[in-house]
Amino acid sequence: MKDTSKINNHSAIAAFQIIEEMAPMNEAVRVTDLAKRLGMPRAKVYRYLQTLSNIGYVRQDPVTERYRLTLKLFHVGQAIADGTQLTSTARPVMVQLRDKAELTCTLSIPEDGGMRVVDIVRVDSPVQIITKPGALLSFHASAQGKIALAFGDPDLLSAVLAADHPALPNGKAFDPARLNAEIDRARQTGWAVAPEETLSGLNAISAPIFDLENRFVATITIAGSLQDIPPEPSAPLCVAVAQAARAISIDLGCTEYPT
């Protein structure tokens, strides 16, 4: 989290911290639990929740008295996403990739704390990918994050390798040497995978998107069960994702796609 000590509007900061903490939650939350997670006084969190409720961003269940975000925030985010060149450019390619691979396709952008999912094109399947727009995926344990480490800020990789990380959903402990090798492979092949690293039983293939200044700006990813995307995925799937990433990059003005 960035240092906010020199920013005057602490009320706005606290309100957004509450929203960001609630966003990944699948269930309504108690004020006490939310206050503990944020390290804020309960009374302060309750006051901000009341304000957010009054303007329509939060709803309180009258029976359980728990709080959850409303869809108002989603609609605001969707309106912003629909107005960006990246999203509007990527969406047709995402649909084509979804239909070709018959797998859910996502678009993610780098942030300080990980890769933020900004758009999803889902496929009808018995196995549904529960990742939602707005989800933040870690750099070290997601296909999107590995692509960011391979093609993004060069200082980011050393920081991630030096940090302590919890065990992955597949039960394996974080291994800096293995991650470093995967980053080298991503630079050579133009894609990365993360079998059971983000969610148990699932895998993903991700490739980098670059803008008109040839800077890494996003990833396009397909995700599915290990039956659909094994730890060593088929060449056609990898090629399809890489070609989609290249197509979006070219549409954004990229002239020197690196892979």
Side-chain angles (χ1 to χ4, degrees), residues 210-216 253-257:
F210 300 86
D211 65 8
L212 76 169
E213 296 182 3
N214 302 321
R215 297 176 304 181
F216 167 72
C254 174
T255 58
E256 298 180 9
Y257 196 83

Side-chain angles (χ1 to χ4, degrees), residues 22-59:
M22 294 177 70
M25 295 181 178
N26 294 320
E27 298 179 350
V29 62
R30 298 186 306 169
V31 178
T32 301
D33 294 336
L34 188 57
K36 288 181 179 179
R37 292 172 67 114
L38 290 165
M40 293 184 187
R42 183 186 184 282
K44 182 178 181 180
V45 173
Y46 174 78
R47 186 166 64 250
Y48 288 126
L49 285 171
Q50 290 301 304
T51 300
L52 291 169
S53 179
N54 290 338
I55 59 177
Y57 286 97
V58 169
R59 178 182 178 274

